[in-house]
């Protein structure tokens, strides 16, 4: 991955901020190189992202990274025929079907295209891929297909409120942007069930993970890993 890295991420293991960036880049199928930084006086500025044009961003937010990658957009229309909230497999499918039928379609995703499926190293039960496919690749293919049909995708944008006056829906994003559409689909997926242990939030992303992306696997070599839960997801690691 390092040879084709689009982004270099410098940081320390055990950093929740660094984990969030690795997780986002992996889910978005963006090649990156992780560079472990030892103890240094620059620790307060970590993680640092370095881009091919030489730009270095200290402790960047996901929104800042999407802006740098050219992915952060505002709605181009005052009103749409179809608005979809959530860009997991269901939301992506709806955006492909809606836009391919000629509907002016917008897809809003608060994190990364592909949803939880994008964190899967291999999906073997999705229609049309008998040999399996990685979640990130499946999401990228669906994104390209939706865009080819004219769907707009807003990334790193979260809906916080909705109103439904007669004949339309109005979604308000966290920065106050309003999305008006004749029809709305909520495909926001599910949330992982938490253990609710004392101090859990303190260690989240810094040793404690829920549905950790495959990007974390190479970083656990030589470490003890405890998996809680024996269901389908628990068996994949």
């Amino acid at each position: 991955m390092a040879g084709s890295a689009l982004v270099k991420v410098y940081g320390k293991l055990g950093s929740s901020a660094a984990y969030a960036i690795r997780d986002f880049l992996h889910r978005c199928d963006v090649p990156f190189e992780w560079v472990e930084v030892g103890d240094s006086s620059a620790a307060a500025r970590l993680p640092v992202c370095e881009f091919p044009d030489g730009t270095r961003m200290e402790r960047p937010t996901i929104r800042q990274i999407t802006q740098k990658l050219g992915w952060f957009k505002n709605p181009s229309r005052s009103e749409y025929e179809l608005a979809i909230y959530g860009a997991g497999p269901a939301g992506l499918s709806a955006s492909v079907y809606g836009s391919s039928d000629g509907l002016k379609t917008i897809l809003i995703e608060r994190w990364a295209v592909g949803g939880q499926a994008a964190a899967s190293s291999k999906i073997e039960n999705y229609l049309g891929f008998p040999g399996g496919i990685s979640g990130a690749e499946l999401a990228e293919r669906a994104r390209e297909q939706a865009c080819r049909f004219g769907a707009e995708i807003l990334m790193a944008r979260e809906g916080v409120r909705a109103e439904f006056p007669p004949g339309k829906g109005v979604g308000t994003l966290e920065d106050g942007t309003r999305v008006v559409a004749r029809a709305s689909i909520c495909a926001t997926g599910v949330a992982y069930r938490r253990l609710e242990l004392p101090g859990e939030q303190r260690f989240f992303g810094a040793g404690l993970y829920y549905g950790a992306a495959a990007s974390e696997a190479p970083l656990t070599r030589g470490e003890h890993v405890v998996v809680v839960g024996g269901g389908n997801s628990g068996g994949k690691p």
Side-chain angles (χ1 to χ4, degrees), residues 24 27-29 87-88 92 107 109 111-118 135-136 139-140 142-143 153-155:
F24 174 76
R27 289 173 185 254
C28 292
D29 203 24
L92 286 167
L107 177 62
E109 169 56 46
W111 188 246
V113 170
Q116 293 183 25
E140 176 59 19
R143 184 198 66 79
I153 299 179
L154 304 188
M155 291 183 58

Side-chain angles (χ1 to χ4, degrees), residues 21-63:
I21 292 172
R22 292 194 304 269
D23 183 47
F24 174 76
L25 294 174
H26 173 78
R27 289 173 185 254
C28 292
D29 203 24
V30 175
F32 69 92
E33 178 183 356
W34 167 252
V35 181
E36 175 74 14
V37 177
D39 295 334
S40 70
S41 58
R45 300 197 298 271
L46 298 174
V48 172
C49 288
E50 184 177 85
F51 296 85
D53 64 0
T55 300
R56 293 172 64 92
M57 302 175 69
E58 298 179 357
R59 298 187 64 82
T61 63
I62 298 302
R63 176 164 175 168

Side-chain angles (χ1 to χ4, degrees), residues 12-235:
K12 295 173 66 68
L13 288 178
S15 164
S16 59
Y19 163 70
I21 292 172
R22 292 194 304 269
D23 183 47
F24 174 76
L25 294 174
H26 173 78
R27 289 173 185 254
C28 292
D29 203 24
V30 175
F32 69 92
E33 178 183 356
W34 167 252
V35 181
E36 175 74 14
V37 177
D39 295 334
S40 70
S41 58
R45 300 197 298 271
L46 298 174
V48 172
C49 288
E50 184 177 85
F51 296 85
D53 64 0
T55 300
R56 293 172 64 92
M57 302 175 69
E58 298 179 357
R59 298 187 64 82
T61 63
I62 298 302
R63 176 164 175 168
Q64 288 173 324
I65 293 174
T66 59
Q67 288 174 324
K68 179 60 183 176
L69 293 173
W71 294 348
F72 191 85
K73 301 176 182 178
N74 287 310
S76 66
R77 299 177 182 273
S78 58
E79 187 168 330
Y80 295 83
E81 292 174 289
L82 177 62
I84 304 161
Y85 296 86
L92 286 167
S93 297
S95 68
V96 170
Y97 298 144
S99 57
S100 65
D101 279 342
L103 299 180
K104 297 178 179 64
T105 302
I106 187 168
L107 177 62
I108 300 100
E109 169 56 46
R110 65 178 180 176
W111 188 246
V113 170
Q116 293 183 25
S120 179
S121 58
K122 191 173 185 180
I123 298 175
E124 298 181 285
N125 61 347
Y126 199 86
L127 179 67
F129 296 94
I133 185 173
S134 74
E137 184 180 355
L138 178 64
E140 176 59 19
R141 289 189 180 199
R143 184 198 66 79
E144 290 181 6
Q145 193 173 17
C147 291
R148 183 165 61 85
F149 285 123
E152 288 184 33
I153 299 179
L154 304 188
M155 291 183 58
R157 311 297 291 271
E158 182 175 6
V160 296
R161 189 171 65 255
E163 303 170 44
F164 297 96
K168 63 182 64 176
V170 181
T172 302
L173 308 186
E174 80 284 357
D175 60 359
T177 300
R178 287 161 57 89
V179 178
V180 182
R182 290 171 54 191
S184 300
I185 295 176
C186 182
T188 50
V190 298
Y192 291 109
R193 183 178 178 182
R194 300 295 179 93
L195 295 174
E196 299 182 359
L197 298 173
E200 178 179 336
Q201 190 58 39
R202 174 187 171 192
F203 295 104
F204 180 68
L208 174 64
Y209 309 94
Y210 289 95
S215 62
E216 299 305 290
L219 305 180
T220 60
R221 292 194 180 104
E223 301 289 338
H224 293 289
V225 178
V226 178
V227 179
V228 179
N232 181 53
S233 296

